[in-house]
Structure formats: C-alpha cells, structure tokens
Amino acid sequence: MKSILLFTFLVVILLPFQSYAGWLITGRIIDREGNTIMKRYFIQNDEIKVEQYNLIYSCNLKTENIILVDPENLIYVKTNLKAYKAKVKELKLKRLNELLSLIPESQRTEYEKIYKVQMDQEVNLPEYKGDSLTIKATGDTVKLVGHKALKCIVSENGRKREELFYTNEVDISADLNMNVFLNYVYLLEPEDKTVVYRISDTYSDLVKNGLVLRRFIFEDGYRSEWQVNNIEEKNIAGYEFGIPDLCKEVTLDKWLTKEKDSDDKYYDDYE
C-alpha cells in the first residue's frame, strides 16, 4: 500500500514537469555571402522565442501576443498579431497615398487596386495553391547531432529549391504548431522567402512530426544554409518568453519606423 501511495505521489509531482518539457534548439545560418549567423529557438507549449544577434522575438501562438526586442539598441515592443498587421497596413497605406499624389489622376484607381492587393499579400501569408511543389526522398541517410536524417530534394516548377535532411527521432509538434508559427515568421522575418512554400501541405505533411536538421536553400543563383548544432529537451523557464531586462519599451510606430535622430535616443535613460 505504501509503495502504491509513493508511486502515485511521484507521478503527481513529476507530471507537470513532463507535460511542459520544451525544446532548446541551437543552430547556425550561413547566408548567401558566406556570413555565419547563430540562432536559437526556445519552444514550449505553443510559445516560441527566436534569438539572433539583431532580433529577438517571442510569440504565444494561443494568445497571439508578440514581444519584439532589438538587442543592439536595447529596445522592445509588446504587441499582438492583429495589431502588428494593422499597423503595417496603416504605414503602407500612408506610403501609398504619397505615391498616388505623384501619379496622374486618371491612373490612380488602377495603381491603388494593384498596390492594395500586393500589400495584403505582404502581410497575410497566402495559402499555397497548386501542385507545383514536389519533395523526393533520395534514400540517402546521414547522422546529424546524433539522429538519423533522411535527405530530400524540394523542387518547385521543376527547379530545385532546397535540399533538406529530416529526422523523425525528434518530434516537437506537441509544443509547436509549425503552420501557425509560419504566419509570424512571414511577418517578422520577411527575408525568409521559403515560408511561402513551407506552408504547403506537401512540405508540412513531411516535417510536421519531426525536425529538419539541415537545409541547403537555393535562390536567385545563390545558396544559403541552416544547420541544427544542438537539441535539448528541457523545461523552459517562463521568463525566457517575457519582457527583457535593461531594455526600454517603445511604441509599435517607433519600432516599425525605427527613427534614429540625435534628439531621441532609444537608450538615453540607461546612460
């Protein structure tokens, strides 16, 4: 009887830690110029923080809250997905009105319609339509960070877009809905052009219950690379997804316009 009670007690005590254990994934990007950029992902219970030298952002995929941090200028902003999209559209519309004033009145309606469609596509990740994306497993396997990975070739309209190495020995899907997260990546990392096809069923069905450990990405005649260097399954402390210390809060307007004049230094309160 005592043994049963002891076992039940241990299960009750340990269960929360097991349920909320997350992931710390560390890797590196090698961009098209050959520069190496370190990057980390903290992932737990549909919260994710992405860290690199010039941008840190945290997203709660359930509440849609976002915290953006500029680690170089020690500033941050708290917002949410809806407000961020609305503010980006507002700024783009302001720019549109400035451009329309330079266009002959007879052509303004046509240009305004085209620009608004383009603006919506830049803010909202479009659904991938068609069957032009194909993924072919080569049959080759390698061992990366201790895990067996299968090599696949991703092509679109017959053109190779990337080579990826995927493992099903690491499954982060319980802690991260990747298709939802890609909407944030599309907004916050617009330089990543691969998001538009990673949202497709063809791509997401392959990787949804595993992890891509390495990618060689081909674009405009250049090659870039993403490689996972370390994977830790661990409980992520709540403060990792919170407001950073020693940073000054700014408005979303200020964040998006990044005004940098001598009369309004971001860091003057900390000098």
Side-chain angles (χ1 to χ4, degrees):
M1 184 66 179
K2 287 183 178 179
S3 297
I4 295 174
L5 288 174
L6 178 60
F7 175 77
T8 303
F9 175 77
L10 289 173
V11 168
V12 171
I13 292 297
L14 294 176
L15 184 58
F17 295 96
Q18 294 170 343
S19 298
Y20 290 98
W23 303 89
L24 174 56
I25 299 173
T26 305
R28 66 175 186 176
I29 298 166
I30 300 178
D31 67 18
R32 58 174 62 187
E33 283 80 33
N35 301 309
T36 298
I37 302 167
M38 304 306 295
K39 197 167 189 176
R40 290 201 298 179
Y41 294 87
F42 296 80
I43 301 166
Q44 185 168 271
N45 194 28
D46 271 330
E47 287 191 88
I48 180 166
K49 180 171 78 169
V50 182
E51 281 188 350
Q52 58 185 58
Y53 77 97
N54 61 344
L55 176 66
I56 300 171
Y57 65 89
S58 301
C59 305
N60 186 316
L61 305 187
K62 295 177 179 177
T63 65
E64 297 191 347
N65 290 333
I66 301 170
I67 298 175
L68 296 153
V69 181
D70 180 343
E72 296 179 309
N73 292 297
L74 296 179
I75 60 170
Y76 78 93
V77 64
K78 291 178 64 179
T79 185
N80 59 65
L81 188 63
K82 183 178 179 179
Y84 191 94
K85 286 184 176 182
K87 182 57 65 175
V88 170
K89 284 186 176 181
E90 178 187 319
L91 294 173
K92 287 182 178 292
L93 283 173
K94 182 179 179 181
R95 177 59 177 159
L96 172 60
N97 291 330
E98 293 172 353
L99 292 172
L100 289 176
S101 66
L102 304 174
I103 296 173
E105 188 173 354
S106 60
Q107 300 177 24
R108 287 178 188 173
T109 302
E110 180 182 356
Y111 275 98
E112 182 177 10
K113 183 179 179 180
I114 294 171
Y115 189 90
K116 283 185 175 179
V117 170
Q118 180 184 336
M119 179 183 66
D120 188 69
Q121 292 175 342
E122 290 175 353
V123 172
N124 298 298
L125 176 58
E127 179 184 354
Y128 193 92
K129 296 180 180 180
D131 56 359
S132 59
L133 191 78
T134 60
I135 301 179
K136 180 180 179 181
T138 66
D140 298 328
T141 59
V142 295
K143 200 156 192 177
L144 298 171
V145 287
H147 298 285
K148 182 181 178 181
L150 174 67
K151 180 180 178 181
C152 298
I153 306 295
V154 181
S155 301
E156 188 176 34
N157 294 317
R159 177 177 294 181
K160 184 164 69 172
R161 297 298 301 264
E162 67 176 81
E163 297 175 4
L164 65 81
F165 295 82
Y166 163 81
T167 183
N168 57 11
E169 295 178 359
V170 179
D171 185 357
I172 65 172
S173 61
D175 282 287
L176 178 66
N177 185 325
M178 182 59 73
N179 276 12
V180 174
F181 176 55
L182 287 177
N183 288 275
Y184 294 80
V185 178
Y186 187 72
L187 271 178
L188 305 177
E189 300 187 58
E191 68 278 3
D192 186 350
K193 306 302 182 183
T194 69
V195 178
V196 294
Y197 65 76
R198 288 165 62 197
I199 196 66
S200 69
D201 291 341
T202 301
Y203 198 105
S204 60
D205 286 349
L206 172 68
V207 304
K208 64 182 179 182
N209 294 122
L211 187 65
V212 176
L213 299 177
R214 195 169 191 181
R215 302 170 67 205
F216 294 100
I217 302 160
F218 305 92
E219 184 181 15
D220 301 328
Y222 294 90
R223 189 184 84 168
S224 56
E225 179 183 343
W226 161 251
Q227 177 178 323
V228 173
N229 295 330
N230 192 49
I231 303 169
E232 295 179 63
E233 187 175 9
K234 60 184 294 186
N235 197 58
I236 308 296
Y239 66 79
E240 290 288 0
F241 305 105
I243 298 171
D245 294 331
L246 302 178
C247 287
K248 180 179 178 179
E249 185 172 11
V250 297
T251 64
L252 186 54
D253 274 294
K254 177 74 75 172
W255 177 271
L256 289 172
T257 56
K258 292 293 181 83
E259 295 174 359
K260 296 184 179 180
D261 56 71
S262 58
D263 296 327
D264 188 16
K265 294 182 180 178
Y266 293 130
Y267 48 84
D268 55 4
D269 290 350
Y270 298 96
E271 290 183 335

